[in-house]
Amino acid sequence: MCAEAARRTGLEDFGKPDFHEGLDRLLDELDSANLSPQGAIAARESILGHLTGRLRSIDGFKRHAEAMLRPVVRPLIVTGIVRSGTTALHKLLSMDPQFQGAEHWLCAAPQPRPPRSAWSDNPDFRNSKSILDGMIAQAPEFLEDHGMAVDTVEESLNLLAQRFCTNMFPSQFVIPRYDFWYRMQDDTPSYRHFADNLRLIGANDPDRRWLLKNPTDTLSLHEVLAVFPDAMVVQTHRDPLQSIPSVVNLISAAHRMFCGENADAARVYAREEEFWELALRRADEVKAKHPGQVFDVQFADFVRDQIGFVHRIYDHFGLELSAQAEVAMRGWLAANPRRSTTMQRFTPEDFGGSSDALKERYAAYRGRYGY
């Protein structure tokens, strides 16, 4: 696959070879992942996309060596269990012009961000839009539940995948051996590579603060703070009785896209229920060593008063919310109203799970955060 990625881009330098182990483990296990014929093609194209993105990044690092020397200062990072408001909060905060984020198309083709007026003529932008449109046509849940769009900020997972040591792949495929290996890894090199991608994308705007979002940062919070020691981290919380079934509903869409009728929602549920308990437990252990650096907020509070929620975050970290930014945020909220007025659409039983077993697994977390 590396040769094919090089052929497509005309580039040959993949940088450090430390991505090979994850890539090899992924490819070895995909043969037994019950992919459909169409899903196998989609998986191949997805992996090639990460490889070509890596080639583009390494080339950009060399072309913009001066940008690689600039620090990423005090980024604002949104994390928390999936389906706890991280996406909506990320999109809402991105309306503040003091922040820059990594837009979806730039995660696929990392390069210094050109003026927005030039995006529609950029072949990388058009190619990313075509690919994303095709994916949403197959799995419209990604648009409905994740708000994916080619020209809006995307979560960090897409750039972290360039090192092939990531939660992205065990979320998409049933690959337990890769999953076990991934959880045992030190993610620090992945976040260092990710930070270089931020420097590259922001090369034309080096003084603007970064806004980042990645639910899986909860698993790797120790490594996040090792690479971004002055980060301002917002962790959202939601009762796992509500969030876990919602996570599974979202991720099952990816499994159906890759596995067709072979998709197994019960296996997805079993994996996600266990994974997020581990991630939340690791995050709490790290937070105990960094008091005040992570601001804990509740999904229910965000639902009740989104702008008040933003004010609390800014007050905690000493950020200024300008009148211009607040107007833009209110405009985004008006254009993107919550589609559901209920707090829960799915239950563990919908996916072969047990509410009682989930309560038992998350007893410590639920007690700590008042559920």
Side-chain angles (χ1 to χ4, degrees):
M1 278 202 176
C2 288
E4 172 63 14
R7 186 191 66 77
R8 291 186 179 188
T9 60
L11 302 170
E12 296 181 350
D13 187 359
F14 286 93
K16 294 180 181 178
D18 59 355
F19 72 97
H20 281 291
E21 181 178 6
L23 176 60
D24 290 344
R25 287 177 178 272
L26 172 63
L27 295 176
D28 286 346
E29 200 166 359
L30 279 181
D31 288 338
S32 58
N34 290 324
L35 302 181
S36 68
Q38 296 81 4
I41 294 171
R44 183 177 187 275
E45 289 303 311
S46 175
I47 293 168
L48 280 169
H50 297 306
L51 286 170
T52 59
R54 183 181 178 93
L55 284 166
R56 295 286 298 271
S57 292
I58 299 301
D59 183 61
F61 298 165
K62 293 185 291 188
R63 289 176 180 269
H64 302 275
E66 73 289 347
M68 298 300 105
L69 302 176
R70 297 168 182 157
V72 177
V73 179
R74 211 177 176 220
L76 179 61
I77 301 175
V78 177
T79 190
I81 188 169
V82 177
R83 310 306 292 148
S84 64
T86 55
T87 296
L89 179 59
H90 185 215
K91 305 282 189 184
L92 181 62
L93 292 173
S94 73
M95 296 298 103
D96 188 338
Q98 74 172 294
F99 297 122
Q100 63 175 317
E103 288 83 5
H104 180 92
W105 75 279
L106 290 170
C107 291
Q111 59 194 272
R113 185 188 301 104
R116 184 173 283 267
S117 60
W119 290 7
S120 61
D121 293 326
N122 187 300
D124 294 320
F125 178 89
R126 294 199 300 269
N127 183 57
S128 292
K129 185 177 187 306
S130 176
I131 293 171
L132 182 60
D133 287 347
M135 187 177 76
I136 290 174
Q138 293 185 57
E141 298 93 336
F142 284 115
L143 179 60
E144 179 180 354
D145 291 338
H146 192 62
M148 295 181 74
V150 70
D151 59 350
T152 63
V153 290
E154 188 53 85
E155 64 182 40
S156 308
L157 200 62
N158 290 270
L159 287 170
L160 288 164
Q162 287 189 1
R163 194 170 165 269
F164 291 89
C165 180
T166 171
N167 185 46
M168 175 180 284
F169 302 123
S171 293
Q172 294 174 332
F173 314 114
V174 178
I175 44 174
R177 295 191 303 278
Y178 177 97
D179 194 11
F180 178 81
W181 168 82
Y182 159 65
R183 299 185 199 192
M184 301 297 290
Q185 300 309 299
D186 180 350
D187 268 351
T188 304
S190 296
Y191 282 96
R192 287 177 179 153
H193 182 81
F194 170 66
D196 282 342
N197 266 309
L198 298 182
R199 295 182 180 97
L200 173 63
I201 294 170
N204 295 331
D205 205 358
D207 297 324
R208 195 147 57 111
R209 190 189 308 278
W210 278 96
L211 170 67
L212 309 172
K213 173 248 181 179
N214 181 18
T216 312
D217 285 351
T218 55
L219 181 79
S220 304
L221 193 56
H222 173 77
E223 292 92 332
V224 170
L225 295 180
V227 175
F228 306 110
D230 59 353
M232 302 173 287
V233 182
V234 178
Q235 184 180 353
T236 58
H237 298 274
R238 186 181 183 188
D239 189 344
L241 279 175
Q242 298 172 349
S243 59
I244 292 298
S246 189
V247 170
V248 175
N249 179 66
L250 176 64
I251 292 177
S252 291
H255 281 253
R256 289 192 298 273
M257 184 170 66
F258 289 112
C259 298
E261 63 182 17
N262 296 324
D264 187 342
R267 291 194 70 172
V268 175
Y269 179 89
R271 191 264 172 183
E272 298 305 314
E273 180 192 43
E274 190 274 333
F275 176 83
W276 287 106
E277 190 279 328
L278 172 64
L280 294 168
R281 178 158 37 89
R282 283 191 185 179
D284 278 344
E285 292 169 357
V286 174
K287 286 154 57 178
K289 302 174 183 178
H290 298 269
Q293 192 162 1
V294 179
F295 186 45
D296 294 299
V297 291
Q298 293 287 342
F299 172 76
D301 293 338
F302 178 66
V303 171
R304 282 192 292 267
D305 181 9
Q306 291 98 329
I307 295 298
F309 192 89
V310 170
H311 276 284
R312 287 175 54 202
I313 293 170
Y314 280 51
D315 289 346
H316 179 82
F317 291 115
L319 298 171
E320 179 181 352
L321 180 62
S322 68
Q324 174 193 6
E326 184 165 340
V327 167
M329 289 181 184
R330 291 186 182 278
W332 186 88
L333 289 170
N336 297 272
R338 282 187 56 78
R339 288 179 291 274
S340 173
T341 58
T342 62
M343 291 290 288
Q344 184 168 7
R345 291 186 292 165
F346 306 98
T347 68
E349 286 73 15
D350 292 330
F351 305 101
S354 162
S355 295
D356 289 339
L358 188 147
K359 288 179 182 178
E360 182 177 355
R361 182 184 291 277
Y362 286 87
Y365 174 82
R366 296 184 80 239
R368 185 175 299 113
Y369 294 98
Y371 300 119

